[in-house]
Amino acid sequence: DVVETQEHYKSRWRSIWIMYLTMFLSSVGDALPTELTRVFLQIDPTADASFLGWIIASYSIGQMVASPLFGLWSNYRPRREPLVISTAISVAANCLYAYVHVPHSHNKYYMLTARALVGFGAGNVAVVRSYIAGATSLTERTSAMANTSACQAVGFILGPVFQTCFTLIGEEGVTWKFLCLQLNMYTTPVLFGALLGVINIILIFAIFREHRVDDMGRQYKSINSDGEGSDVLDQNTEGSIDHVAVVALNILFFVILFVFAVFETIATPLTMDMYSWTRKEAVFYNGIILSAIGIESVIVFMVVKTLSKKTGERAILHAGLLVVLVGFFILLPWGKKLPNIQWQEIKNNSIPRTAPSEMLAPFWSLPELQLPSNHSAEPVGCPVTQSWCLNTPRIYLAQYISSDVLIGLGYPVCNVMSYTLYSKVLGPKPQGVYMGWLTASGSGARILGPVFVSQIYTHLGPRWAFSLICGVVVVSLLLLEIVYKRLIAFSVRYGRMQE
């Protein structure tokens, strides 16, 4: 056994902290250009809601394609290479955002390209997590993975905060004609994101070093090492990976990201339909709620680091899925009062015929018509074109808030535990490609989640949408029960360590 020196230990954890910072800066940069996307879609008259959907999805598509590629790259070459290249791609994409208004036509395609490139650069998440998995022992792994997820969550929280601060610059701002650059409240955030990327690259070159340790914390040299460590782990890499456990965890991670993508996407239309909020009110209030959930997630990440040492990752993952299930179960319409009907959609012969049972319903359970105070007001309420609005009970605000709290508790638990278990099952072998596939499965879930919402919720309503989500979570719990005993660390499986 090679005892780790104090110098090696400090260098290893400095590099891990650089990975934390990489995750934080990447998530801040990804969260910044949202307002700019809306603005330039308004500038381009050919942009419509359908194209906006493609722009939103392009980020996840780019990440889904890039993650396995960067992961494969990191298996055979120093990780500094894919980290720097991916970050440089994100910097270039942010600069493209800043100049997307310059062309006289086809602005939406430049926006689409920029968003896809940002997603492609975000494929370095697989490299970051694979490095942390390889640079930590089993006892350090859960804490390190929780810190990584916490840094990512904090980045997503602060991104909109930074964007709000930049509104002080105003819409006019300052124009540098020799650079064809307009510095205003829309372009400054993305240029700030590019600056963060440049700082990240400098820190990777200056501080980051390759380190690998086995499950017991002994250092060794790998193919992408820069010469540090010793070749003491050959015997510990023997043995095959449990691919049943690997596939099961990929499925579970897909479900976790899918249900959260549905929750995140459905928030605005659901609250507009149920509470007669305007779009501006729905975006504002849900923004506050999502920010609170982000803060809740950071707290949860810190708590699970301690809790996992007493109960183990599998039990916490099981509990997290149960909490998510309860959160969506609470969202099912249980009351009697129906939502208000959106007045503008009521035209001649546009109200669907009611069934005999509905015609016999007492007058206090019939939907109210939401009439405007003046014809210029934005129509609010549940659109009559969604036929379920006439017979689906309203979801009370207390239900919605309670569900937010529970999902905000269960999602971060499931997220960090699935990553941690995945890295432990893979063991000391290079994890870049496997982490790439796990990240890609999450990106696929973020693509399909909004599609699910647009089809099931719009046509069948919240009762069907949330019932199906509950069914999916129940199936994932059954899958977890089936593979529960297989979700153990590589070294434990081969008897080199005790669980």
Side-chain angles (χ1 to χ4, degrees):
D1 293 355
V2 177
V3 178
E4 185 178 28
T5 64
Q6 188 70 15
E7 182 182 355
H8 183 276
Y9 177 84
K10 290 181 179 179
S11 177
R12 178 164 67 91
W13 277 99
R14 278 197 298 267
S15 298
I16 291 173
W17 276 96
I18 290 298
M19 293 299 96
Y20 293 162
L21 185 62
T22 299
M23 188 69 81
F24 169 76
L25 295 179
S26 176
S27 59
V28 168
D30 297 344
L32 284 175
T34 51
E35 188 63 31
L36 187 64
T37 302
R38 299 191 193 100
V39 171
F40 281 114
L41 282 176
Q42 294 173 1
I43 290 176
D44 192 330
T46 63
D48 54 16
S50 175
F51 198 84
L52 176 60
W54 279 108
I55 287 183
I56 294 172
S58 64
Y59 174 90
S60 297
I61 294 173
Q63 188 180 47
M64 185 170 62
V65 172
S67 296
L69 297 178
F70 285 132
L72 180 64
W73 188 352
S74 70
N75 275 0
Y76 297 100
R77 295 288 301 168
R79 289 185 180 86
R80 183 183 285 116
E81 293 178 4
L83 287 172
V84 169
I85 295 300
S86 60
T87 307
I89 290 172
S90 296
V91 170
N94 280 319
C95 292
L96 178 58
Y97 263 118
Y99 283 96
V100 76
H101 66 285
V102 174
H104 298 292
S105 61
H106 306 299
N107 304 82
K108 63 180 184 180
Y109 296 111
Y110 294 108
M111 179 65 70
L112 179 67
T113 302
R115 190 65 181 161
L117 286 175
V118 169
F120 196 87
N124 62 12
V125 170
V127 182
V128 169
R129 293 194 185 274
S130 67
Y131 176 80
I132 291 175
T136 53
S137 64
L138 282 185
T139 56
E140 298 168 331
R141 189 78 47 82
T142 303
S143 177
M145 286 294 183
N147 289 340
T148 306
S149 297
C151 290
Q152 188 176 28
V154 171
F156 280 122
I157 294 170
L158 292 183
V161 173
F162 289 143
Q163 187 162 278
T164 302
C165 294
F166 287 124
T167 57
L168 298 174
I169 300 174
E171 294 190 6
E172 294 297 327
V174 179
T175 301
W176 291 349
K177 293 184 179 179
F178 67 98
L179 291 176
C180 296
L181 180 62
Q182 191 174 1
L183 287 176
N184 55 27
M185 60 184 289
Y186 304 119
T187 59
T188 307
V190 292
L191 292 174
F192 177 68
L195 176 62
L196 293 179
V198 172
I199 294 172
N200 194 11
I201 291 173
I202 294 171
L203 291 174
I204 290 172
F205 275 115
I207 300 175
F208 178 77
R209 298 292 181 270
E210 290 283 353
H211 292 287
R212 292 292 300 275
V213 298
D214 68 355
D215 287 347
M216 289 165 278
R218 298 174 301 183
Q219 59 175 305
Y220 73 101
K221 185 177 179 179
S222 64
I223 192 170
N224 48 14
S225 177
D226 51 8
E228 299 181 22
S230 304
D231 234 346
V232 301
L233 204 69
D234 291 342
Q235 72 277 10
N236 287 334
T237 60
E238 294 176 1
S240 59
I241 294 172
D242 187 347
H243 285 95
V244 173
V246 168
V247 172
L249 284 169
N250 270 281
I251 294 172
L252 289 172
F253 188 70
F254 176 89
V255 171
I256 293 163
L257 268 292
F258 177 80
V259 296
F260 189 75
V262 169
F263 168 75
E264 199 175 26
T265 306
I266 211 170
T268 297
L270 178 69
T271 50
M272 290 175 66
D273 292 342
M274 292 295 155
Y275 314 123
S276 300
W277 290 353
T278 63
R279 178 167 294 277
K280 185 176 181 180
E281 289 173 337
V283 170
F284 176 74
Y285 293 137
N286 283 300
I288 294 174
I289 291 172
L290 288 174
S291 297
I293 289 175
I295 296 171
E296 180 187 11
S297 298
V298 174
I299 297 172
V300 170
F301 288 136
M302 298 299 104
V303 171
V304 295
K305 293 195 298 182
T306 303
L307 191 60
S308 63
K309 296 177 182 178
K310 299 179 179 179
T311 61
E313 289 86 3
R314 294 177 297 179
I316 296 179
L317 176 59
H318 194 281
L321 284 171
L322 284 174
V323 171
V324 171
L325 175 61
V326 173
F328 276 99
F329 185 76
I330 288 176
L331 265 184
L332 291 172
W334 297 106
K336 294 182 179 179
K337 186 177 181 180
L338 300 178
N340 298 333
I341 296 299
Q342 187 179 119
W343 69 272
Q344 195 177 41
E345 299 293 343
I346 300 178
K347 299 176 182 178
N348 291 335
N349 302 320
S350 65
I351 302 179
R353 294 184 178 182
T354 55
S357 60
E358 294 163 12
M359 293 174 65
L360 296 175
F363 69 90
W364 60 80
S365 67
L366 294 176
E368 300 175 6
L369 302 185
Q370 188 70 22
L371 298 176
S373 57
N374 59 72
H375 292 289
S376 63
E378 177 185 347
V380 294
C382 201
V384 74
T385 51
Q386 296 177 165
S387 58
W388 57 264
C389 292
L390 297 173
N391 51 42
T392 301
R394 180 181 181 183
I395 297 171
Y396 294 111
L397 186 60
Q399 286 179 260
Y400 180 66
I401 298 297
S402 300
S403 175
D404 289 342
V405 172
L406 288 172
I407 295 172
L409 174 64
Y411 167 72
V413 168
C414 296
N415 184 291
V416 70
M417 289 301 107
S418 55
Y419 261 121
T420 303
L421 283 169
Y422 194 71
S423 66
K424 290 186 175 182
V425 167
L426 294 175
K429 297 187 177 183
Q431 298 187 9
V433 174
Y434 286 100
M435 283 293 180
W437 286 119
L438 189 69
T439 305
S441 68
S443 299
R446 291 174 63 184
I447 295 171
L448 293 178
V451 174
F452 174 89
V453 170
S454 64
Q455 297 300 316
I456 303 299
Y457 175 79
T458 303
H459 295 98
L460 300 177
R463 179 170 283 155
W464 271 97
F466 299 140
S467 295
L468 288 173
I469 290 295
C470 288
V472 169
V473 178
V474 168
V475 171
S476 67
L477 280 166
L478 293 175
L479 175 62
L480 179 58
E481 287 294 330
I482 293 171
V483 300
Y484 194 86
K485 293 183 178 179
R486 306 184 74 136
L487 302 182
I488 56 176
F490 186 92
S491 298
V492 174
R493 182 169 175 242
Y494 286 99
R496 296 167 191 154
M497 290 183 66
Q498 289 188 348
E499 190 172 7

